[in-house]
Amino acid sequence: MARIRHKSLDCSPGCAVEATLQLIDGKWKGVILYHLLEGTLRFNEIRRRLPNITQRMLTAQLRELEQDGFVLRTVYAEVPPKVEYSLTPRGRTLEPVIMALKKWGDENTGFRRDPESPADLDEPAADCPISCVQAGG
């Protein structure tokens, strides 16, 4: 987990924002959470949706999300082992946050066709990364 800048997060009204961002910080956690909003996924299903993440990084990010209580890791006693990841009730509480980030990104980043028109949520822009295309927007 990221280094906490303050020993106590009661320093100012913005500390709650800082604490939240520390929990979902990094390049991949928000994207992993976004994909898990769709439902339970196996490790390789997540990896296929995020082709630019290394196996090691995905494992580390999933472990941190699990430790923070956002993701549930379920291991089935099978050969080969089957492991599934899903959002916990606490993880589900981040849905409005993740969707607000997606909406803001759709409206304010270069991942859409025409910067003057509203984002088309049904069809990704031509320059949208593969993980964005596979996520459906």
Side-chain angles (χ1 to χ4, degrees), residues 9 14 18 21 24 26 28 30 36-37 41 45 53 61 68 76 81 87 92 103 109 112 114 117 126-127 135-136:
L9 290 171
E18 180 181 350
L21 290 173
I24 61 170
W28 299 108
L36 288 174
L37 286 172
L41 296 171
E45 290 175 308
I53 192 171
Q61 297 287 273
D68 291 332
Y76 296 92
L87 292 178
R92 283 259 162 228
K103 182 177 188 271
T109 64
R112 28 181 206 141
D114 179 4
S117 67
D127 59 350

Side-chain angles (χ1 to χ4, degrees), residues 33-79:
L33 291 166
Y34 173 76
H35 288 291
L36 288 174
L37 286 172
E38 296 176 21
T40 301
L41 296 171
R42 294 180 70 176
F43 183 88
N44 283 329
E45 290 175 308
I46 299 170
R47 187 139 186 239
R48 275 192 293 277
R49 292 172 186 226
L50 306 171
N52 295 325
I53 192 171
T54 65
Q55 183 170 335
R56 181 178 178 182
M57 178 58 75
L58 179 56
T59 299
Q61 297 287 273
L62 285 166
R63 282 185 184 152
E64 288 180 22
L65 288 167
E66 183 183 9
Q67 288 171 354
D68 291 332
F70 297 123
V71 170
L72 175 66
R73 180 178 186 260
T74 306
V75 181
Y76 296 92
E78 298 178 2
V79 177

Side-chain angles (χ1 to χ4, degrees), residues 4-11 18:
I4 296 176
R5 293 186 185 123
H6 304 288
K7 291 181 181 178
S8 170
L9 290 171
D10 60 357
C11 57
E18 180 181 350

Side-chain angles (χ1 to χ4, degrees), residues 72-131:
L72 175 66
R73 180 178 186 260
T74 306
V75 181
Y76 296 92
E78 298 178 2
V79 177
K82 177 181 174 183
V83 180
E84 293 180 334
Y85 296 90
S86 58
L87 292 178
T88 63
R90 182 178 189 205
R92 283 259 162 228
T93 65
L94 287 170
E95 183 170 3
V97 176
I98 299 299
M99 296 313 292
L101 287 169
K102 181 187 182 311
K103 182 177 188 271
W104 189 93
D106 288 341
E107 294 171 355
N108 295 284
T109 64
F111 292 121
R112 28 181 206 141
R113 298 183 194 289
D114 179 4
E116 298 301 316
S117 67
D120 181 357
L121 299 179
D122 293 330
E123 193 167 327
D127 59 350
C128 190
I130 186 89
S131 61

